[in-house]
Structure formats: C-alpha cells, structure tokens
Amino acid sequence: MIKHTVTFKLKYSKGSEEESIFLKAARELRSIPGVEKFECLRQISAKSHFDYALSMNFDSMETYNTYSEHPEHTAFVRKYWAAYVEDFLELDYELM
C-alpha cells in the first residue's frame, strides 16, 4: 500500500474564491481510478506554515504511477497546482 500525501500553502487567502475553486478541483482527484481513502484536510497546528493537505492511498506502486500519469491528474497539476500553490511538501509512504 502506498500513502501519497502533500501539504501545501495557497497563494490566495483563506475564504477566497480562488481557495474554493482550487479545493473543489482537488476533491475531483478522488474520482481517478485507483484512488482510495482520499482526504482533503485543513491544517490547524501553529507549528506548520502549510494550510492544507491532500492524502490518498493506492494498492500498489503501479497504481500510484498510473494515477500520477492520468490525464485528469496532469491537467490538475498544470491548470491549478502550478497557478495556485505557493509552497508544498510531498511525502509518499509504503506500508511496512
């Protein structure tokens, strides 16, 4: 099992129209085949400068790679991620 996580900060303020547009588009990633346990999270700790996180599971590295190359994912990265995200940290884990 692969757990794909990314925590990030948007270029736009909380409550903005841009925030809403981005998060709506991000939630649509859950419909890509192979995505399991999709979560869209808001950071509440003062210990991090990131504001949001996305987390999802895949049953194998092959499924994760298929997701990464999926046209809906690559379009999201091009249209939204590159334009809306100021900073991020991506961490991917394998179940031990």
Side-chain angles (χ1 to χ4, degrees):
M1 194 263 320
I2 304 297
K3 179 174 283 294
H4 170 61
T5 66
V6 61
T7 185
F8 57 95
K9 181 173 189 61
L10 294 177
K11 296 175 182 177
Y12 306 99
S13 62
K14 294 178 187 175
S16 67
E17 182 179 355
E18 292 86 359
E19 175 200 49
S20 179
I21 290 167
F22 179 88
L23 295 176
K24 181 178 185 236
R27 286 184 193 101
E28 292 175 10
L29 295 172
R30 75 178 68 187
S31 67
I32 296 175
V35 173
E36 300 175 7
K37 296 186 179 178
F38 178 91
E39 296 177 300
C40 185
L41 307 161
R42 185 176 309 275
Q43 170 66 259
I44 59 169
S45 173
K47 296 177 185 178
S48 175
H49 77 279
F50 297 113
D51 296 319
Y52 312 92
L54 300 176
S55 174
M56 59 195 83
N57 293 351
F58 299 92
D59 64 6
S60 67
M61 193 64 184
E62 180 182 350
T63 306
Y64 171 69
N65 290 335
T66 299
Y67 160 82
S68 292
E69 298 166 7
H70 192 279
E72 289 178 44
H73 177 256
T74 58
F76 170 80
V77 170
R78 240 184 357 267
K79 183 174 181 180
Y80 296 102
W81 193 265
Y84 287 64
V85 174
E86 180 178 302
D87 191 16
F88 72 96
L89 176 63
E90 181 174 332
L91 298 170
D92 298 314
Y93 305 93
E94 182 175 42
L95 184 63
M96 297 176 48

